Amino acid sequence: MLLCVAAATAQYTLSSFTGDVKVKHAGKIAPAEKGMRIGAFDLIIIAEGAQAVVFDKASSSEYTRTTPGEISPNNLVIEAKKAAGSNLANVHRNVGIGKGNSEEEGKMYVEKGKITLALEEYDPAGEEFMIDAKVLAQHIVNSINSIELSRLGDKFPVSLKCVSADGALHFQLDNTTSEPLYINVIKIVTDDKGNRDIRISELGQPVGCYVILPDQAIMRSQTKGARECDRHILVATHYYFSIDELIENIAVNLAESTTHRPTLELPIYLKAF
């Protein structure tokens, strides 16, 4: 009963819409208006080729609907959460654990709390998982040690351009996949004795990650000041990862004398420049 009351009193707003969208309330149909309040069980009528974006005040989230027909805000949110949960379970089932399914390798994805409300809006399915920094770090170090850096990124799944020349840095990425991409850039600094130090790149995001939705693109540049002897590695995955924990674990792996076997089957994409 409490759930029913909560649903009935939920506050929904039509954030935006394109095309022919109408709202049916108490049997009467009215043209949609941006910012209009909609009852939980009112009907949003979406014509062919139209789109409606509904804001749910209770969760501070937006939900987009492009399927033609009638749907209530309450059912729209339920369907969106079911779809996100289904996608989440599918990812967890298919790529959730490293090859061999051994406890030592650790899980590729680990359960986590909510990141931020903003991030949930970008990727509703991503709020439950983040990539285990230990597994990601081991994969990156294995790749650095087993693949020529010039070939790192030969199998990058999307359009990517990386340039490092004459003190300038640049990367441009176009997410042509059907899932969000979380990316960041780390830097390998090598001293005169061959010791390697891992830091955040000038083009990196020091807090969190860049989140690139499907059909979105990002471009970052630095026009001068970069050292030619440093190497930058762009890291891309389909779920959030902590850059601080990643750098810390890469340093630990580089310091170890033991060589781990590569885990190249994991959905982690790297590009050195």
Side-chain angles (χ1 to χ4, degrees):
M1 183 173 66
L2 289 175
L3 289 174
C4 293
V5 171
T9 58
Q11 294 295 318
Y12 298 99
T13 304
L14 188 63
S15 299
S16 62
F17 67 93
T18 56
D20 184 10
V21 177
K22 296 181 176 66
V23 175
K24 186 176 183 179
H25 172 72
K28 297 181 180 180
I29 298 177
E33 296 180 6
K34 184 178 179 180
M36 71 186 301
R37 289 190 174 186
I38 308 173
F41 299 103
D42 289 346
L43 291 178
I44 304 171
I45 305 172
I46 303 173
E48 188 74 37
Q51 172 181 286
V53 181
V54 175
F55 176 73
D56 177 14
K57 184 179 179 181
S59 63
S60 297
S61 299
E62 285 186 335
Y63 299 89
T64 302
R65 180 78 172 187
T66 57
T67 305
E70 300 181 354
I71 190 169
S72 69
N74 190 58
N75 286 339
L76 189 157
V77 171
I78 291 173
E79 287 187 11
K81 289 184 176 180
K82 282 184 178 178
S86 175
N87 174 65
L88 189 66
N90 182 60
V91 171
H92 189 223
R93 181 173 60 253
N94 291 303
V95 296
I97 317 176
K99 186 177 180 181
N101 200 19
S102 68
E103 185 175 344
E104 291 76 14
E105 290 177 355
K107 288 187 176 181
M108 171 63 178
Y109 298 102
V110 295
E111 293 184 7
K112 67 178 300 298
K114 294 181 179 179
I115 305 164
T116 63
L117 289 176
L119 194 56
E120 287 180 50
E121 292 177 8
Y122 272 90
D123 184 11
E127 69 180 71
E128 299 294 338
F129 285 123
M130 70 180 292
I131 292 181
D132 190 317
K134 293 181 180 179
V135 177
L136 181 54
Q138 181 177 311
H139 175 89
I140 292 174
V141 172
N142 289 342
S143 299
I144 292 174
N145 290 336
S146 61
I147 302 174
E148 293 181 14
L149 289 183
S150 60
R151 292 185 53 243
L152 202 61
D154 286 351
K155 297 182 180 180
F156 212 86
V158 301
S159 174
L160 174 64
K161 178 183 179 182
C162 293
V163 177
S164 174
D166 301 324
L169 296 172
H170 170 85
F171 79 81
Q172 181 174 343
L173 181 147
D174 183 4
N175 185 8
T176 52
T177 72
S178 59
E179 301 291 341
L181 275 176
Y182 291 79
I183 69 172
N184 218 324
V185 188
I186 58 177
K187 177 171 67 175
I188 302 176
V189 179
T190 306
D191 62 20
D192 296 336
K193 297 180 179 180
N195 298 316
R196 293 178 292 185
D197 185 23
I198 304 296
R199 305 174 186 175
I200 187 76
S201 167
E202 287 87 341
L203 299 186
Q205 174 61 265
V207 179
C209 304
Y210 298 108
V211 187
I212 319 300
L213 296 178
D215 298 322
Q216 284 188 344
I218 186 174
M219 179 178 68
R220 287 294 309 273
S221 298
Q222 177 180 316
T223 56
K224 63 179 181 179
R227 300 197 319 164
E228 293 291 334
C229 57
D230 296 337
R231 298 305 301 267
H232 302 260
I233 297 181
L234 186 144
V235 182
T237 71
H238 289 295
Y239 280 93
Y240 172 83
F241 59 90
S242 167
I243 188 63
D244 289 335
E245 293 182 14
L246 176 61
I247 290 176
E248 180 181 343
N249 280 278
I250 289 178
V252 171
N253 275 269
L254 286 175
E256 292 180 353
S257 57
T258 305
T259 301
H260 300 281
R261 61 181 177 79
T263 52
L264 299 180
E265 75 281 359
L266 295 177
I268 301 169
Y269 316 113
L270 307 174
K271 174 65 176 178
F273 62 103

